[in-house]
Amino acid sequence: MTNKFKNYTLPDERGHFEKFGGKYVPETLIPALEALESQYTRVKNDPLFQSELSDLLKHYSGRETPLYHAKQISEELGFDIWLKREDLNHTGAHKINNALGQILLAIRMGKKRIIAETGAGQHGVATATVAALFGLECIVYMGKEDIRRQKLNVFRMNLLGTEIRPVLSGSMTLKDATNEAIRDWVTNVETTYYLIGSTVGPHPYPMLVRDFQSVIGIETKAQFAKQAGKDLPDRLIACVGGGSNAMGLFYPFLKDNVKMIGVEAAGKGLESGEHAATMTKGEFGVLHGAASTLLQNEDGQVTLPHSISAGLDYPGVGPEHSYLNETGRVNYYTATDQEALDAFIWLSEKEGILPALESAHALAYLRQDDNEIEKGEQIVVCLSGRGDKDVHTVAESLGVDL
Amino acid sequence: MSRIKKLFSKPKEKLIPFLTAGYPELDSTIELVCAAVDAGADMVEIGIPFSDPQGDGPVIQKSSQQALNNGITLKRIFEQVKQIRIQTDIPIALMGYYNPILKMGHEAFLDNCVSADIDGLILPDLPLDEAGPFCELAKSKGLSPILFVAPNTTNDRIRKISELAADLIYAFSILGISGNELSSKKNLKAYLTRVRENSVTPFVVGFGINTRDDVVWFNQHADGAVVGTAIIKKLNGSKLPAVTTKDFIKELKGIK
C-alpha cells in the first residue's frame, strides 16, 4: 500500500480527491454549500453535537449493530465471514446513520424544510423518519419507476408524514430524483436543507456522509478484534451504488493492511449494456455536482443504468470511490442481477437472514470463482440493509404471485 | 474588439433569445436563430442539450430531451453554428452543462468553438470554484466565458467572478431554475444595483423574463435581457417555428 493512506486527509480544502469531487453546481448553491461546510466543521469537534448524535444512534437506532459470525456460509466456503448487521438498524438499513447526523445539522442551521432523493426508498424512509422525529416538513423525490418497484417503502414514508413527489423525467429512477431534488434546492435554498443519502453530490456532502457512516467501520474494527481474537480482518466487502455503506465500512481501515472490495451491479451482464457498473464500465465525468466516474455515451450524455436493486441503479458513484479505485486502494468487482438473487436466497436459507438486494451483491462476490479469496481468510461483509422491501421483486423474479 | 465587447459597449437595449439546439427539429436551430436575428435579436444563446439539466425547469428540460431524441450532438451544433455564421455577424454564445464539454475535452471543445466563430460560453454548473482552468484557456483562444452570479452571491464574489469572466457575466434573476417566476421588482432592483456596483464587466439577466415590459425593465437595470423558457413555450406545438420565433422576438423588442 502506498504511503498516501498512512496520513490520509482527503478531501482537500476545495473538496477534491485529486481530480475527483469538487463543487460543480449552479452559483445559487455555492453559499448554501459554504454554510453547510462551515456548520459541519463546527459540529465535527463539538462534544455536545457528538454526544447528541451518539445518543440517538444508540437509543433511537439501536447501535451498535452486531458483527455476526456467519458460521454456516463460512463452513460452506472455507473462509470466515462476518456480517456487519446494518440491517438491524431502526428503519432497516445503514441510511439512518447519515440521516440522524444530517438532521441534527439541519436543525443547527435553522432549516425547517427537508428534501431528499431516494432510489430503493431506504434513504427516503430514513429521512422521513428523522423528519418525523424532529417535527420537520419533509419532501422526498422518487422516480416513478422506483415508486413502482418499492411500494412498501413509499407507503412507509407516507405513514411517517412525508410527501412523495414522483419524478417522471429521464429514466424515472434515482438519477432523475436527484436532479429534481437539486432543482428544488436551487429554488428554495434559503429555507431548505437537502439531505443527500449517499457519498455523492458536491462538496462537502461526500465527506460528511462518509463521516456519518464511518460508525460502521469504527464499530467493526473494535468488534472484530474482540470477537475474532485478531487485530484486523483480511478483507472488507461492501456493495457500491453511490457508495455510502462501503465508505462507512472502509474509511476507518484505509490506513490498515486490509484488502477492500466494492461490488457494483452488473445488471443483466456487463456486455448487455444494461448494468450499473460505473467503475468497471464508466469514464471520468461530472454529474450531480461532483467529478467522478460516470456511465455516459460518446457525447457525454449520461446513459441509463440498470439493476434489479433500486439502490444500486445509479449511473454515477461517489468521488472518493473513484479516487480509491484509481489509486488501487480498493478493488471493484461486479455481480449480476441473477447472482444477487441467488445470494439473497442463499443467505436466507443458510443463515436465516433476508439481505437487501443491494447487500446481496456484496454477498454474491463471496461465491464468485475469480474473487481471489484464499482459504482461511477473515472477511467482513457489510450487510447494509434488510431484504423485506425486496420480497416483491424476488417473488416476481421467481415467478411467484403474491 | 470581440463581438461581445463591441455589443456591450453600446448603450442600447439588448435582447438575447435562448434556443435549444436541435429543437423542435434536428436542424431547426439554423432557421430559428436567423429568424431571431431578422426580428432584432442582439445576441443569441444556443443551448447544448444535456441528459441531466439541473438548472432547468420542465419546459427547457423537455426541449432538451426532444433535441436529444432528434439526434443532436455537439459536433452537429458546431456545424449548425457555421451555417448560421454565414448569415449573421451578431454575437453567439453556447450554453451547456459541463459533462459533454469535459467528454470532448477542453482543448478540442474550445478549438471547435473558435472554428465555428462562436463568441461566448455559458456553463451553468461550472462556478468560480471550478472554472479557473477552463476560463483561462477559453480566454487565451479569444473566447468569452460568461459566468453566473445569483441573488445570494456576495459582493466580493461578484467582483471575482466578473474578473475571471472578463467580458460579460450573467445574473440569475431569481433563486431558482429556468421557467420560475420573478420575485418582487423592489428586491430585484436592489440586487441588480449590487451587481452593477461590484461587477467589473457588463451583465445580462435571465430567468423569468417573459414580456416586452420585462425586457424594458431589465434593460433599465442591467445591460440586457435573456429570454429562454418563454420562447421554447411558444415553439411548443408551433406549426411554423420560424414565424413564431420572429413574431415573438418582435413583440419582445417592441417592434410593431
Side-chain angles (χ1 to χ4, degrees):
Chain A
M1 196 199 332
T2 53
N3 277 334
K4 62 170 66 166
F5 292 99
K6 287 289 171 207
N7 294 300
Y8 182 72
T9 55
L10 293 181
D12 64 21
E13 70 280 3
R14 290 177 55 236
H16 285 247
F17 304 87
E18 292 185 354
K19 69 176 178 178
F20 303 107
K23 293 178 195 168
Y24 296 86
V25 293
E27 177 63 24
T28 318
L29 293 182
I30 294 289
L33 294 171
E34 284 173 353
L36 177 60
E37 188 178 355
S38 87
Q39 183 67 248
Y40 179 64
T41 311
R42 238 170 296 156
V43 302
K44 203 176 168 182
N45 299 309
D46 174 2
L48 215 74
F49 180 93
Q50 294 303 337
S51 80
E52 199 178 343
L53 178 56
S54 16
D55 191 67
L56 284 166
L57 288 171
K58 181 167 195 271
H59 299 292
Y60 188 68
S61 187
R63 299 203 74 95
E64 63 181 26
T65 59
L67 182 69
Y68 166 68
H69 188 196
K71 294 198 188 68
Q72 282 69 234
I73 58 172
S74 297
E75 195 172 312
E76 178 184 329
L77 296 177
F79 39 83
D80 279 301
I81 299 157
W82 302 80
L83 301 177
K84 181 57 177 165
R85 297 292 307 276
E86 291 302 300
D87 60 317
L88 294 177
N89 271 303
H90 178 43
T91 73
H94 71 292
K95 294 293 187 187
I96 192 84
N97 303 331
N98 167 54
L100 282 169
Q102 286 201 55
I103 202 82
L104 293 182
L105 263 179
I107 292 165
R108 300 239 163 162
M109 295 178 80
K111 307 287 185 189
K112 304 261 185 264
R113 180 174 180 269
I114 307 297
I115 57 168
E117 80 297 334
T118 198
Q122 290 306 99
H123 172 58
V125 167
T127 306
T129 299
V130 298
L133 176 64
F134 290 102
L136 300 171
E137 180 189 0
C138 182
I139 289 151
V140 170
Y141 289 92
M142 189 168 185
K144 198 180 154 211
E145 172 62 16
D146 289 337
I147 289 177
R148 186 189 67 78
R149 289 194 278 193
Q150 302 290 342
K151 283 183 203 136
L152 185 67
N153 274 343
V154 171
F155 187 59
R156 286 168 79 193
M157 286 184 272
N158 287 334
L159 289 173
L160 293 160
T162 279
E163 177 191 344
I164 309 287
R165 295 206 179 149
V167 176
L168 303 174
S169 55
S171 57
M172 302 188 227
T173 62
L174 180 55
K175 154 182 103 79
D176 311 285
T178 308
N179 289 332
E180 217 46 52
I182 291 171
R183 290 181 188 118
D184 180 315
W185 198 32
V186 173
T187 307
N188 301 297
V189 63
E190 289 180 324
T191 57
T192 298
Y193 185 91
Y194 180 20
L195 209 159
I196 291 187
S198 192
T199 48
V200 299
H203 180 67
Y205 283 108
M207 172 180 79
L208 69 87
V209 176
R210 172 198 73 192
D211 292 354
F212 287 137
Q213 290 294 0
S214 295
V215 66
I216 301 173
I218 293 167
E219 284 179 7
T220 298
K221 211 172 203 179
Q223 290 169 315
F224 184 84
K226 202 167 156 199
Q227 292 172 234
K230 271 185 77 182
D231 280 351
L232 293 165
D234 299 298
R235 194 181 292 258
L236 308 175
I237 302 165
C239 65
V240 176
S244 71
N245 88 87
M247 275 320 306
L249 177 64
F250 295 167
Y251 184 59
F253 288 92
L254 283 178
K255 64 176 189 313
D256 300 315
N257 186 21
V258 176
K259 292 191 185 82
M260 298 180 186
I261 307 292
V263 186
E264 296 190 300
K268 295 179 181 168
L270 288 177
E271 303 313 317
S272 69
E274 294 183 61
H275 58 76
T278 309
M279 220 70 92
T280 313
K281 288 289 194 177
E283 292 169 86
F284 184 63
V286 167
L287 180 69
H288 297 149
S292 189
T293 313
L294 194 54
L295 296 176
Q296 55 185 308
N297 71 14
E298 56 182 20
D299 296 315
Q301 305 293 344
V302 181
T303 53
L304 301 186
H306 164 81
S307 170
I308 191 168
S309 133
L312 303 183
D313 202 349
Y314 183 66
V317 65
E320 195 164 13
H321 280 291
S322 290
Y323 174 75
L324 295 173
N325 182 41
E326 190 163 274
T327 53
R329 179 65 190 92
V330 177
N331 291 312
Y332 293 84
Y333 282 71
T334 64
T336 62
D337 288 352
Q338 191 57 53
E339 288 175 308
L341 279 166
D342 293 344
F344 180 103
I345 292 161
W346 177 61
L347 194 75
S348 304
E349 289 179 354
K350 294 279 179 151
E351 299 285 348
I353 299 169
L354 272 67
L357 275 174
E358 290 78 13
S359 325
H361 285 74
L363 295 163
Y365 161 83
L366 296 171
R367 307 209 294 170
Q368 290 174 344
D369 294 332
D370 61 349
N371 61 18
E372 295 178 358
I373 300 174
E374 286 166 30
K375 293 282 170 210
E377 269 192 36
Q378 298 286 328
I379 296 175
V380 174
V381 180
C382 188
L383 200 71
S384 56
R386 66 179 183 223
D388 306 46
K389 70 183 173 63
D390 295 312
V391 165
H392 275 93
T393 308
V394 174
E396 203 176 298
S397 72
L398 295 175
V400 177
D401 199 11
L402 293 181
Chain B
M1 196 192 279
S2 77
R3 291 189 190 94
I4 288 177
K5 275 192 129 159
K6 206 163 139 192
L7 174 65
F8 286 89
S9 66
K10 295 177 198 158
K12 62 166 203 165
E13 179 187 295
K14 294 168 201 79
L15 172 69
I16 301 138
F18 166 93
L19 292 158
T20 304
Y23 177 82
E25 306 288 334
L26 179 57
D27 285 319
S28 12
T29 322
I30 302 170
E31 190 190 9
L32 298 190
V33 169
C34 293
V37 174
D38 283 350
D42 299 279
M43 172 173 166
V44 285
E45 181 184 341
I46 298 173
I48 304 166
F50 181 49
S51 52
D52 295 83
Q54 284 173 11
D56 285 302
V59 173
I60 293 181
Q61 277 178 52
K62 269 188 200 143
S63 72
S64 298
Q65 195 52 55
Q66 176 67 46
L68 290 172
N69 294 347
N70 290 343
I72 196 72
T73 60
L74 250 178
K75 244 174 105 183
R76 187 102 180 191
I77 295 171
F78 287 123
E79 285 163 20
Q80 293 174 344
V81 176
K82 282 179 187 164
Q83 296 292 314
I84 293 165
R85 202 31 112 199
I86 297 169
Q87 303 175 56
T88 175
D89 202 39
I90 69 164
I92 297 173
L94 286 189
M95 189 289 288
Y97 292 88
Y98 189 43
N99 196 58
I101 292 165
L102 193 60
K103 184 72 168 67
M104 181 173 269
H106 285 180
E107 195 85 38
F109 173 78
L110 292 167
D111 287 344
N112 274 308
C113 290
V114 170
S115 54
D117 210 358
I118 284 160
D119 304 287
L121 300 165
I122 304 171
L123 276 63
D125 58 351
L126 197 65
L128 180 64
D129 319 73
E130 308 289 348
F134 179 82
C135 290
E136 295 304 342
L137 191 61
K139 289 191 285 188
S140 76
K141 292 177 188 286
L143 294 155
S144 305
I146 302 167
L147 299 175
F148 285 94
V149 298
N152 54 357
T153 308
T154 60
N155 293 346
D156 181 48
R157 200 172 151 95
I158 292 173
R159 188 167 47 255
K160 284 185 185 144
I161 288 168
S162 66
E163 281 166 359
L164 180 61
D167 294 335
L168 183 67
I169 61 169
Y170 185 136
F172 290 123
S173 62
I174 48 166
L175 299 174
I177 54 174
S178 65
N180 283 12
E181 279 173 31
L182 292 172
S183 53
S184 82
K185 287 275 159 76
K186 193 178 147 220
N187 288 345
L188 263 170
K189 208 170 142 181
Y191 157 54
L192 296 178
T193 307
R194 212 159 58 74
V195 179
R196 169 75 72 212
E197 284 167 358
N198 291 284
S199 174
V200 302
T201 70
F203 68 105
V204 296
V205 186
F207 284 28
I209 301 177
N210 299 315
T211 64
R212 171 67 193 151
D213 285 351
D214 292 341
V215 172
V216 171
W217 193 88
F218 279 98
N219 271 281
Q220 283 162 2
H221 301 280
D223 302 305
V226 182
V227 180
T229 301
I231 296 177
I232 305 295
K233 246 186 202 162
K234 295 259 178 198
L235 289 175
N236 220 330
S238 159
K239 292 209 173 67
L240 297 164
V243 176
T244 304
T245 305
K246 203 165 182 170
D247 290 349
F248 188 49
I249 301 293
K250 279 188 174 170
E251 183 188 321
L252 291 170
K253 286 288 284 185
I255 300 167
K256 294 276 153 66

